[in-house]
Amino acid sequence: MASSSTTSPCAACKFLRRKCLPECVFAPYFPPDQPQKFANVHKVFGASNVTKLLNELQPHQREDAVNSLAYEADMRLRDPVYGCVGVISLLQHQLRQLQMDLSCAKSELSKYQNLGISGHGLLHHQGINLLGAGAASARDHHHFHHQLFPVTNQQMIRAFDGASGYDASSLLAMNMSASIGQLSGFPQSRAAGTAPDGRRTPVEPS
């Protein structure tokens, strides 16, 4: 008893009521369990046009082409006026809105970054001014100290300061005592008519 094996035709050949050959161009892309897929494509584009399109493409491009035709045919049946163009327009509108939101966010971020840089520059400038004022004050203090104490006394002050830690008031008193001592060393001129022992002597008339 001879046995014959039969295979189920693809959805395209079954819809067209023809024998599905092994080299059928529709078989890999319209399986028997998806009859509505080919029915929509045939209704919108026509079986002959789909056959011609698939024969012009490379084998690795045919699956993507069939999926695109099936999606466009389904959308055309849902929306006869716009079809997939309506969905594309909606997606493009959402994309433009997102791009505008992104641009606004970048603008706000740049604004805050510029404010931060300006604030840092202002603080740096104020810090330089404070350092300059401190250096000028130190120079003025050194100049006043140099005028108040002679060089020799300054050396003495540093020596005392390093040895026993005298404060500024003690050093000032020491400097004034030393200056008075120097003044007392000068010979005092005797008044006319006064003897060395302090007694008055008559003044000879000239």
Side-chain angles (χ1 to χ4, degrees), residues 190-202:
R190 291 179 297 174
T194 303
D197 56 359
R199 294 178 298 175
R200 289 184 176 272
T201 58

Side-chain angles (χ1 to χ4, degrees), residues 35-183:
Q36 192 62 38
K37 180 179 179 180
F38 180 79
N40 293 340
V41 171
H42 173 65
K43 187 174 183 179
V44 175
F45 298 103
S48 59
N49 293 328
V50 176
T51 303
K52 182 179 179 181
L53 176 64
L54 293 178
N55 289 329
E56 292 176 353
L57 295 175
Q58 297 294 329
H60 67 277
Q61 297 176 332
R62 292 175 180 176
E63 183 177 1
D64 292 336
V66 170
N67 291 333
S68 297
L69 292 173
Y71 177 77
E72 188 170 353
D74 182 66
M75 295 304 299
R76 178 67 64 178
L77 294 175
R78 293 184 181 185
D79 186 357
V81 178
Y82 296 104
C84 63
V85 177
V87 178
I88 294 173
S89 299
L90 178 61
L91 294 176
Q92 288 179 345
H93 175 73
Q94 293 178 353
L95 179 60
R96 287 193 298 267
Q97 185 64 37
L98 292 174
Q99 288 175 345
M100 291 175 60
D101 295 342
L102 179 61
S103 178
C104 293
K106 287 182 177 180
S107 178
E108 291 293 329
L109 179 61
S110 177
K111 187 184 301 183
Y112 285 115
Q113 287 177 346
N114 292 333
L115 288 175
I117 293 173
S118 300
H120 179 72
L122 180 60
L123 291 175
H124 181 68
H125 181 69
Q126 291 178 350
I128 292 176
N129 290 338
L130 290 175
L131 290 176
S137 177
R139 287 195 303 269
D140 294 341
H141 177 73
H142 177 73
H143 180 68
F144 171 77
H145 187 272
H146 181 74
Q147 289 181 343
L148 183 61
F149 300 104
V151 176
T152 55
N153 292 337
Q154 289 182 16
Q155 296 175 353
M156 181 180 66
I157 290 171
R158 285 197 296 269
F160 276 103
D161 186 36
S164 56
Y166 284 97
D167 57 0
S169 60
S170 300
L171 295 176
L172 179 60
M174 291 172 61
N175 182 70
M176 293 178 64
S177 299
S179 300
I180 294 173
Q182 292 178 1
L183 292 177

Side-chain angles (χ1 to χ4, degrees), residues 16-36:
L16 297 174
R17 299 175 183 273
R18 68 184 186 183
K19 185 179 179 179
C20 188
L21 302 175
E23 63 273 10
C24 176
V25 71
F26 295 120
Y29 315 109
F30 297 101
D33 58 345
Q34 297 181 6
Q36 192 62 38

